[in-house]
Amino acid sequence: DANIYLFVRVARLGTRYVLLLAEDRTESYRLDEVRRDFVANISHELKTPIGAVGLLAEALVSASDEPDQVKRFAKRLTKESHRLARITQEIIELSRLQSADGLAEAALVDIDNVVSIAIDQNRAVAEFNKVTLASGGLTGFEVFGDETLLVLALDNLISNAVQYSPENTRVGIGVRHRDGAIEVSVTDQGVGIPDDELDRVFERFYRSDPARSRHTGGSGLGLSIAKHVVQNHGGDIRVWSQLGHGSTFTIRLPEIDPDVTNATGDKQ
Ligand code: ADP
C-alpha cells in the first residue's frame, strides 16, 4: 500500500521560525507489520494440525476396541504430525533466511550437481504420482553460493511442480546462460496459477485456490523460502503460468565474475 509513516518533531526557533523535522519511519513500521502478520499466520497455520492431533488422539482412545478404526485414526495422526513437523521446520528455515543478509558460507557451486540432487530428492514422489522428471544434459555452469540452500530452493520448485501436476505429464528442468545470469527453470504441465494470483504465490503462507482445493497439505512457505534463498544469492525468481496448462518457475543467479575468481585464484 502507499501509506507513508512520518515521525515529525516541531521546534520553535525564536518568534519567527518553526523547525520541522520529519523522519520517514515507513520501513520500520512496515517491518513491524510484517512481523505481526507472520506471527498471526504461524499461529493460524499451526492451530489446525494441532487441533487435529488432539481430536485424533481422543478418537483413538475411544476406539480402542475396534482395530480397524484404531488403524485409521493412527494413520491420520501420523500424517498430521508429519505435517506439523514440516511446517515447523519450514518456519525455522524461513526465519533463518530472513534474518541473514547474504550468505554465511559461499563457495563455487556446480549447478549440474544442484539439479541432480534436487531431482533425486523428488524422484520417488514423482514416480508415485506418475509424473516424469526430465532434465537436459550437463552444462558445466558454476555460481557462487551455498549448495545446500540452492538445492533447497530448487527442491521446493520441483516438488511443487510434481504436486500440482496430473498423472502422465512431464516436469522439465533446464539450465541455461542468459543475459549475464545462470537460469534454472522448472516447467510443468499442471494445474497452473490464475493471473491475478501470480504475484502472491511468493508470499508466506499463500496458497492459490486450485492448490487449496487439491488438499495437498502444503504450508504455503515453499516458494517464500525459495525466493529468500535466491535473493540472498543476489538473484531473482520469476513465474510464468497459464491456468489449466502449466507453469514455469525460473531462478536467475548472477554469473561468476571471471576477474574476481581469477584474482582470488579460486577458479582455473
Ligand atoms: P505450498 O505448495 O506448500 O502450498 P508454496 O509456497 O510452495 O506452498 O506455493 C504457494 C502456492 O503457489 C501453492 O499453494 C500453489 O497454489 C501455487 N503453486 C506453486 N507452485 C505451483 C505449480 N508448479 N503449479 C501450480 N501452482 C503452484
Side-chain angles (χ1 to χ4, degrees):
D1 69 71
N3 288 344
I4 292 176
Y5 295 90
L6 291 179
F7 179 69
V8 182
R9 265 179 288 198
V10 186
R12 275 198 94 91
L13 294 180
T15 48
R16 291 187 58 189
Y17 298 102
V18 171
L19 183 67
L20 265 185
L21 280 175
E23 188 186 332
D24 182 356
R25 293 215 174 151
T26 313
E27 186 59 15
S28 88
Y29 189 88
R30 200 186 58 79
L31 285 176
D32 272 353
E33 212 168 34
V34 166
R35 232 169 270 138
R36 275 195 302 269
D37 278 359
F38 191 36
V39 173
N41 281 335
I42 288 174
S43 320
H44 178 78
E45 284 302 310
L46 293 180
K47 228 155 118 188
T48 317
I50 288 174
V53 165
L55 285 175
L56 286 164
E58 278 172 29
L60 257 180
V61 173
S62 32
S64 54
D65 292 339
E66 296 166 65
D68 276 357
Q69 281 214 0
V70 167
K71 220 172 175 175
R72 231 183 56 227
F73 289 141
K75 232 177 171 172
R76 282 175 53 195
L77 195 57
T78 312
K79 202 170 141 200
E80 288 299 335
S81 61
H82 282 162
R83 181 165 145 74
L84 257 181
R86 211 194 50 237
I87 296 178
T88 316
Q89 184 57 36
E90 286 183 349
I91 290 169
I92 293 169
E93 268 158 16
L94 188 58
S95 61
R96 201 182 291 148
L97 283 165
Q98 282 177 325
S99 58
D101 230 358
L103 296 166
E105 301 203 10
L108 282 181
V109 177
D110 176 352
I111 277 293
D112 297 330
N113 214 26
V114 171
V115 170
S116 100
I117 298 172
I119 288 181
D120 280 347
Q121 289 176 352
N122 285 281
R123 224 180 267 288
V125 180
E127 236 164 71
F128 183 79
N129 288 2
K130 300 198 173 66
V131 171
T132 309
L133 291 182
S135 68
L138 296 181
T139 63
F141 294 143
E142 287 179 315
V143 295
F144 198 62
D146 181 324
E147 183 177 273
T148 312
L149 290 180
L150 290 172
V151 168
L152 176 71
L154 188 59
D155 173 63
N156 279 331
L157 299 189
I158 300 176
S159 95
N160 278 346
V162 169
Q163 200 80 247
Y164 300 117
S165 287
E167 289 186 358
N168 303 317
T169 57
R170 180 178 177 279
V171 168
I173 298 103
V175 180
R176 66 174 175 173
H177 180 254
R178 202 169 78 121
D179 299 337
I182 305 297
E183 289 188 351
V184 186
S185 56
V186 179
T187 300
D188 65 59
Q189 303 166 319
V191 294
I193 301 163
D195 268 353
D196 58 343
E197 299 193 19
L198 278 178
D199 289 344
R200 304 204 57 197
V201 292
F202 296 102
E203 288 173 16
R204 289 167 310 194
F205 297 110
Y206 189 78
R207 313 203 63 217
S208 87
D209 272 341
R212 272 196 301 267
S213 61
R214 278 168 63 92
H215 299 294
T216 55
S219 63
L221 285 175
L223 285 180
S224 185
I225 290 174
K227 182 178 161 189
H228 276 92
V229 167
V230 174
Q231 282 180 344
N232 286 7
H233 279 77
D236 62 25
I237 185 165
R238 297 169 187 189
V239 56
W240 173 93
S241 187
Q242 222 181 347
L243 196 60
H245 292 278
S247 315
T248 296
F249 282 85
T250 304
I251 289 176
R252 287 169 51 82
L253 298 163
E255 72 179 327
I256 295 169
D257 181 348
D259 292 339
V260 173
T261 43
N262 282 345
T264 58
D266 278 337
K267 216 185 161 189
Q268 319 255 306

